[in-house]
Amino acid sequence: MSESLILAIETSCDETSVAVVRDGREILSNIVASQIKSHMRFGGVVPEVASRHHVEQITQVIDMALEESGHGSADMDAIAVTQGPGLVGALLVGVTAGKSLAMVYNKPLLAVNHLAGHIYASQLVKPLKFPLMALIVSGGHTELVYMKEEFSFEIIGETQDDAVGEAYDKVGRILNLPYPAGKYLDELAGKGNSEAYAIPRAMIHEDNFDFSFSGMKSAVMNTVHNAKQRGDEIVPEDLAASFQAAAVEVLVEKASKALREHPEVCQFILAGGVAANSGLRGELSTRLATEFPEVELIIPPLKLCGDNAAMIGASAHHMYADKDFSELDINAIPGLMLGE
């Protein structure tokens, strides 16, 4: 495969990130400017606020990434940008910056799918082997993806309502946890009794690989409301643990079902922001070790689970090798699907 030195830009949501990645494997720099404090007071990401922050930060973050890498823009073989999915205003900032650099320095432009980036973040840990299965778990997506070969994405299961990350944030608000709630709910769950409250495991026994998390969120809400009406005390640690146990059980069971029906799979990748969840990492590791010892599990380090530009650079390397270049008139595609 061709060697490459790629400047990658990621602005799909509320992190402004720029990285320089060599050959899709080596991170020379990976700068992430988070907006969490700005959105925390709203309890979620405000698209207009996110876009304005990207505009303010993008030039500085590009300069920082180049300086840390020891290279200049003219040294790059290509410029990679996240084209989608994501917030349209946020995506436009990164796409515009990437197109500008590509035009000024006469470099190829690579339009990368954000979800493919999450999968290829694992390539920064170890080489990918095919066929493989990936479970993408993030704030906006919960999908099981089968990859027969490089850049071949078959979505075999997906959420029918809330993504698991959305459910975590909604439950977090019910429990008065800070935004983003995933980290805090995970910590709270580690202190509680996971059998204290009855939380449904929606679709767990259905003959498919799809998910549903809306009912779990509703069950938590009803539990809290009913307790208030009766004057009972809710134990937050126990409710968090009960919710997390239900969510993790469904994710792991569906993943196991997919592996049982695809015995040819040699690697399983956990990808996306919720891949940082300790309960999910632990349960998935245990299940694969006992039931599928021949399948190699890859979970990126925490710094590569959330949105970051290094994962975009890793994915872009294969596009560069295939000369899958984009024209300078590309636009952001907020609803971009895997494989499009």
Side-chain angles (χ1 to χ4, degrees):
M1 185 176 289
S2 302
E3 295 183 354
S4 67
L5 189 63
I6 293 175
L7 178 72
I9 300 172
E10 155 61 29
T11 62
S12 64
C13 191
D14 61 340
E15 277 90 20
T16 308
S17 183
V18 180
V20 176
V21 179
R22 176 182 285 133
D23 299 338
R25 291 291 312 277
E26 183 183 358
I27 301 173
L28 303 186
S29 64
N30 189 25
I31 307 299
V32 180
S34 176
Q35 303 175 10
I36 286 178
K37 291 183 178 179
S38 295
H39 298 286
M40 190 176 289
R41 65 183 184 274
F42 302 112
V45 176
V46 179
E48 178 62 21
V49 173
S51 300
R52 289 178 181 272
H53 276 299
H54 287 308
V55 171
E56 294 168 357
Q57 296 171 339
I58 187 66
T59 302
Q60 181 181 4
V61 175
I62 290 172
D63 290 342
M64 292 172 65
L66 288 170
E67 181 179 358
E68 185 173 304
S69 74
H71 291 276
S73 298
D75 299 330
M76 299 299 118
D77 293 309
I79 309 297
V81 296
T82 299
Q83 186 178 26
L87 303 174
V88 63
L91 288 166
L92 278 170
V93 176
V95 168
T96 302
K99 291 196 296 185
S100 299
L101 287 169
M103 180 176 62
V104 169
Y105 292 98
N106 193 28
K107 302 296 181 181
L109 182 66
L110 304 166
V112 179
N113 186 298
H114 177 78
L115 299 180
H118 273 306
I119 293 174
Y120 276 87
S122 290
Q123 182 179 268
L124 297 165
V125 179
K126 56 180 63 177
L128 303 187
K129 301 175 184 177
F130 300 91
L132 63 77
M133 189 82 67
L135 174 60
I136 302 175
V137 280
S138 68
H141 299 271
T142 303
E143 298 172 352
L144 268 169
V145 182
Y146 176 78
M147 296 181 65
K148 183 178 181 180
E149 56 190 6
E150 204 83 70
F151 262 69
S152 169
F153 305 101
E154 180 186 353
I155 299 174
I156 63 172
E158 58 190 336
T159 183
Q160 300 303 296
D161 39 62
D162 288 345
V164 66
E166 291 174 314
Y168 263 85
D169 283 334
K170 291 175 180 179
V171 170
R173 283 198 290 271
I174 295 170
L175 295 176
N176 296 314
L177 298 177
Y179 171 86
K183 172 185 175 182
Y184 301 100
L185 203 155
D186 187 21
E187 293 174 352
L188 199 63
K191 305 172 185 176
N193 175 10
S194 62
E195 299 180 357
Y197 298 98
I199 305 297
R201 273 71 166 162
M203 300 185 71
I204 194 169
H205 297 301
E206 292 193 11
D207 190 23
N208 55 50
F209 306 122
D210 292 332
F211 307 89
S212 173
F213 297 99
S214 180
M216 295 183 191
K217 171 259 299 177
S218 297
V220 172
M221 183 183 299
N222 292 335
T223 298
V224 172
H225 287 172
N226 292 340
K228 287 182 178 179
Q229 291 175 344
R230 295 192 302 266
D232 294 341
E233 285 286 333
I234 286 287
V235 181
E237 294 84 355
D238 290 349
L239 189 52
S242 298
F243 164 75
Q244 177 153 296
V248 167
E249 183 178 347
V250 170
L251 289 168
V252 173
E253 187 54 45
K254 290 287 185 171
S256 299
K257 177 180 173 62
L259 287 173
R260 284 193 290 270
E261 296 197 15
H262 292 82
E264 72 279 11
V265 166
C266 56
Q267 279 185 338
F268 189 94
I269 292 172
L270 182 62
V274 184
N277 181 277
S278 65
L280 178 57
R281 294 167 79 98
E283 188 61 32
L284 189 61
S285 297
T286 299
R287 178 66 70 90
L288 263 67
T290 55
E291 190 172 346
F292 307 98
E294 72 284 358
V295 178
E296 181 182 28
L297 175 62
I298 307 178
I299 306 177
L302 298 183
K303 64 182 179 181
L304 295 178
C305 289
D307 295 347
N308 68 92
M311 70 185 196
I312 302 303
S315 182
H317 171 67
H318 299 277
M319 302 174 70
Y320 177 79
D322 292 340
K323 300 187 183 304
D324 185 12
F325 304 146
S326 297
E327 299 296 330
L328 290 177
D329 62 353
I330 65 165
N331 205 347
I333 305 178
L336 186 65
M337 301 291 290
L338 263 177
E340 292 185 346

